[in-house]
Amino acid sequence: MTATSLMLKTVRGCNLACSYCYTADSALPHVEIMDVGLATDIIAQQMALVAGKSAVSFGWQGGEPTLAGLPFFEQIVAAEARYAPDGTVISNDLQTNGVLIDDSFADFLATYKFLVGLSLDGPRHLQDAARKDKAGRGSFGRTMAAFERLALRGVDVNALCVVGPHNIKSAPEVLGFFAAQGFTHVQLVPAMGFGCNEPSAYPKYLVSASQYGGFLCELLQAWMSLREPRPCVQVIDDALRASSGQAPAICTHANTCDAGLVIDTNGDVYPCDFYQSALACLGNLHERPLLEMWQSARLPDFASRKGQLPAACRACSWLCLCRGGCPRNRPSDSAPDALCEAYGSFYGKMDEMGLLKG
């Protein structure tokens, strides 16, 4: 199995202390940054593996990846240019809170056409309720300053909005804010009450499935009331795509779990961002080459878990849209995704509004 997508956990550590962090990076005593030599070697190996293919993508995440510093990323794009086979289209995306994006960083991201995911939970009073720095100061002003710098330079910016107790009752306000600010794409993530390094922990969220379903339904109604062009909200877009027979963009509602590999700061490799544990680790790049990770027999086994559906999922009329959700979210092998009720309410509302085909 060889794919063209890698996610690199560039930094372990964060300059914020968000109330719902699922990595607990803000609690680390010091920041751990991926060695640029390791990152360069990963790029070289991946480029060799994609020879003959047309595209390759790298996702840079954390923690907060900008803590690695601008010189780190300057060396990254230099390595990509050095090792890329002729004709390869290189895509980079950066998930960030934006706090450290100054004019120089914004210039760089514009020059190399990075797609930037900006962590933003709505207007100031909602953002600052949950996304504070370690001194207790809200991050809204700094995050929005980053958005303005990036927008001024024509950088594509998507909003990543965590839905938690701080904004669960504010769906229309959240969407209205993003639309008014000019965001064209919004991804919603329900706040998790378990960590990415706890794959066997019960999938408890900080909002209930009923609450999240209500949020999605209210957001959908608000979305329909907006004038064109509306922001693309991923959960809405994926449902529309699935009802038209197209593949959804997010792995949660895809047929298989094979979005790519996740590489931790120390070189450990995992099949998924939500399975960062010793049991799921495919190996370490200081000891084994990247090709062996892609060819691991454990990857197809992991991908096949998506299709091992509980009886309730197999009998559900929304299976064609939900595709069983995320295996990580199943409380047991016989239970559906913990957010099943939310998805059912949301799809039912879409169907009631005549948005679904078939």
Side-chain angles (χ1 to χ4, degrees):
M1 176 181 180
T2 301
T4 58
S5 177
L6 290 179
M7 177 193 295
L8 290 88
K9 294 288 187 173
T10 316
V11 171
R12 281 285 183 188
C14 191
N15 49 358
L16 295 185
C18 301
S19 60
Y20 48 66
C21 182
Y22 79 101
T23 67
D25 276 5
S26 63
L28 292 175
H30 60 275
V31 172
E32 301 171 12
I33 300 174
M34 179 178 284
D35 181 76
V36 73
L38 172 61
T40 298
D41 187 53
I42 292 169
I43 290 168
Q45 291 188 59
Q46 182 70 355
M47 291 299 189
L49 294 176
V50 301
K53 302 182 186 297
S54 60
V56 61
S57 67
F58 298 94
W60 305 95
Q61 297 199 13
E64 174 47 47
T66 59
L67 287 169
L70 181 55
F72 176 93
F73 288 98
E74 290 173 335
Q75 293 179 75
I76 290 302
V77 295
E80 291 175 346
R82 181 161 66 249
Y83 293 111
D86 290 344
T88 303
V89 176
I90 304 168
S91 300
N92 287 288
D93 61 81
L94 177 75
Q95 183 60 48
T96 177
N97 58 41
V99 169
L100 296 180
I101 295 182
D102 56 13
D103 287 334
S104 296
F105 222 132
D107 288 340
F108 167 83
L109 296 170
T111 298
Y112 292 99
K113 302 186 185 315
F114 272 62
L115 171 65
V116 176
L118 200 60
S119 297
L120 188 60
D121 294 351
R124 182 183 296 274
H125 68 283
L126 297 178
Q127 169 87 351
D128 287 350
R131 300 188 59 82
K132 303 178 188 292
D133 63 21
K134 296 176 183 180
R137 298 171 300 190
S139 59
F140 178 83
R142 288 168 285 177
T143 300
M144 286 304 298
F147 174 64
E148 290 165 6
R149 289 188 180 100
L150 295 168
L152 182 65
R153 292 162 173 81
V155 177
D156 287 334
V157 182
N158 295 350
L160 179 67
C161 175
V162 174
V163 180
H166 60 302
N167 59 5
I168 190 66
K169 297 181 180 179
S170 306
E173 183 181 9
V174 168
L175 181 64
F177 167 79
F178 287 128
Q181 296 299 321
F183 283 91
T184 58
H185 290 76
V186 179
Q187 181 181 351
L188 303 173
V189 180
M192 297 160 47
F194 52 94
C196 62
N197 60 347
E198 302 175 302
S200 59
Y202 188 85
K204 179 177 175 57
Y205 283 82
L206 301 185
V207 293
S208 70
S210 176
Q211 288 176 313
Y212 188 52
F215 179 94
L216 293 179
C217 290
E218 289 184 14
L219 184 124
L220 177 64
Q221 290 180 306
W223 182 79
M224 285 295 292
S225 70
L226 292 175
R227 298 175 61 182
E228 297 279 6
R230 303 183 185 99
C232 172
V233 180
Q234 189 170 68
V235 67
I236 298 175
D237 190 58
D238 274 356
L240 294 173
R241 290 171 61 87
S243 75
S244 300
Q246 302 176 61
I250 193 169
C251 58
T252 301
H253 303 302
N255 285 320
T256 59
C257 298
D258 56 0
L261 296 179
V262 177
I263 304 177
D264 203 357
T265 311
N266 64 357
D268 285 342
V269 181
Y270 303 97
C272 174
D273 193 21
F274 297 116
Y275 283 86
Q276 295 181 51
S277 71
L279 289 176
C281 186
L282 302 175
N284 187 282
L285 291 174
H286 291 292
E287 302 167 356
R288 296 169 55 196
L290 184 60
L291 176 61
E292 287 189 18
M293 310 297 181
W294 280 121
Q295 293 180 339
S296 170
R298 295 173 64 189
L299 270 185
D301 290 342
F302 179 82
S304 70
R305 296 184 62 182
K306 187 68 180 285
Q308 298 167 15
L309 297 172
C313 293
R314 294 195 300 270
C316 181
S317 60
W318 301 124
L319 180 60
C320 59
L321 304 180
C322 169
R323 293 180 170 87
C326 178
R328 172 63 187 86
N329 288 347
R330 297 173 191 163
S332 69
D333 290 341
S334 60
D337 188 305
L339 296 174
C340 173
E341 179 185 347
Y343 297 138
S345 298
F346 174 62
Y347 298 143
K349 176 62 70 173
M350 291 193 74
D351 191 41
E352 178 187 310
M353 298 174 75
L355 296 174
L356 299 180
K357 299 180 180 179

